[in-house]
Amino acid sequence: MSMLEIARFEARRRTRSAAALTLLILALIALTIGLYPSISDTGVDLDAYLETLSPELRQSFVGSVTSLTSIDGYLVSQLYVLVWLLILGIYFAYAAASLVSSEIEHRSIDLLLVNPISRTRFIVEKFLALLPVNIAVNGIALVTVYFGIQFVGESLPLEDLLALHGLFVIYLAACSGLGLVASVAFDDVRRAQGVGIGLLFATYFLDSLTRGTDYEWAGQFSFARYLDPADVLSLGEIDWLGTAILLAATIGLVVLAAELFERKDING
């Protein structure tokens, strides 16, 4: 079996769902940016409304933005926090959770493992199959956002948008790693997907709800703790330590999944 054949096969199998996801994201971006001029011209003091929200709600749904009327704060609050950090994170954890469990549930795993490849290589290639989708969604979104905000008469530094979507690739890879571990741990697809989604959802809101409390340490298990879109888009700052933690978490989860799969007793 040639190098990356499993990854290429898996990626091709996901082409239709990836295209659908990309179209959905493009429509969401177009709608969000298209509404910006009317929202910014309403004269409603949205920033005053923002101040009335509790810190927990602000962190959960708009992140650390301080202004909803600026283009950067608007994009972060309406698009990047909820869609990228939570919804796309859940999607990639969900998709990764079926990578191995579906092969076991449908008993096609024996046909794959009868080839002269190691179980570790099998896991790594399964993980790599989601990277093209991850990169494509972020690349197309980057171009759409960049030209979309120009269309409505706004602008943002291209380097900040590049940095943000590059960091999202790493963040979503970590979410994929979490789903991959669930996929190896559970043979039942629905259970693996439920565990992957549940862990990501629970840690995301645990991080939001414990910010500024005595239990803030509990949020360190959330990937969202290590990527703040507002810092990148509004301040042009990158949390390099957080980025390193996300990379380490991704590698660690793939290694854990490979180790679990090496020890797994598969009954066909």
Side-chain angles (χ1 to χ4, degrees):
M1 182 172 285
S2 60
M3 285 294 293
L4 299 179
E5 187 169 337
I6 294 175
R8 288 197 296 268
F9 174 78
E10 186 70 36
R12 284 196 297 270
R13 197 162 65 173
R14 293 181 178 275
T15 300
R16 184 174 297 179
S17 60
L21 174 66
T22 303
L23 288 175
L24 184 63
I25 292 295
L26 288 179
L28 187 60
I29 291 172
L31 178 64
T32 302
I33 294 178
L35 289 174
Y36 178 72
S38 59
I39 290 175
S40 62
D41 293 341
T42 56
V44 177
D45 193 351
L46 294 175
D47 293 342
Y49 169 72
L50 184 64
E51 293 298 325
T52 65
L53 299 177
S54 67
E56 293 81 6
L57 281 177
R58 288 182 59 176
Q59 187 60 45
S60 297
F61 297 109
V62 301
S64 60
V65 297
T66 56
S67 173
L68 294 177
T69 51
S70 63
I71 186 64
D72 54 306
Y74 176 76
L75 288 175
V76 169
S77 62
Q78 303 302 313
L79 198 65
Y80 289 129
V81 170
L82 197 58
V83 177
W84 254 261
L85 289 184
L86 185 58
I87 297 176
L88 278 181
I90 286 176
Y91 171 81
F92 277 93
Y94 172 87
S98 67
L99 287 172
V100 179
S101 58
S102 65
E103 301 283 4
I104 295 175
E105 185 174 292
H106 299 122
R107 300 187 176 183
S108 56
I109 191 75
D110 291 338
L111 295 175
L112 288 168
L113 294 183
V114 75
N115 290 288
I117 61 169
S118 69
R119 289 192 176 196
T120 295
R121 177 184 162 186
F122 174 78
I123 290 296
V124 171
E125 292 205 24
K126 281 285 187 178
F127 171 77
L128 292 177
L130 286 180
L131 276 182
V133 182
N134 186 350
I135 293 171
V137 167
N138 278 288
I140 294 171
L142 162 66
V143 174
T144 308
V145 169
Y146 181 71
F147 288 106
I149 59 177
Q150 289 188 342
F151 183 76
V152 296
E154 299 289 338
S155 65
L156 281 172
L158 178 59
E159 58 270 25
D160 290 346
L161 281 171
L162 275 168
L164 181 59
H165 282 280
L167 293 171
F168 275 134
V169 170
I170 299 172
Y171 171 82
L172 295 175
C175 297
S176 301
L178 181 66
L180 183 63
V181 172
S183 184
V184 176
F186 299 96
D187 295 346
D188 182 84
V189 176
R190 289 187 177 181
R191 182 172 299 177
Q193 290 173 332
V195 170
I197 291 173
L199 284 174
L200 193 73
F201 192 80
T203 53
Y204 178 87
F205 280 104
L206 185 64
D207 177 45
S208 301
L209 296 174
T210 57
R211 291 282 181 103
T213 71
D214 293 339
Y215 303 99
E216 188 168 347
W217 57 267
Q220 66 184 320
F221 299 106
S222 170
F223 297 141
R225 168 69 65 90
Y226 307 105
L227 175 55
D228 188 336
D231 283 350
V232 181
L233 215 54
S234 301
L235 306 176
E237 296 178 353
I238 296 175
D239 179 2
W240 292 108
L241 177 59
T243 303
I245 291 173
L246 286 176
L247 278 171
T250 303
I251 295 170
L253 287 168
V254 175
V255 170
L256 175 60
E259 184 63 25
L260 289 174
F261 196 56
E262 288 283 355
R263 299 167 183 266
K264 193 176 183 68
D265 182 20
I266 300 173
N267 297 312

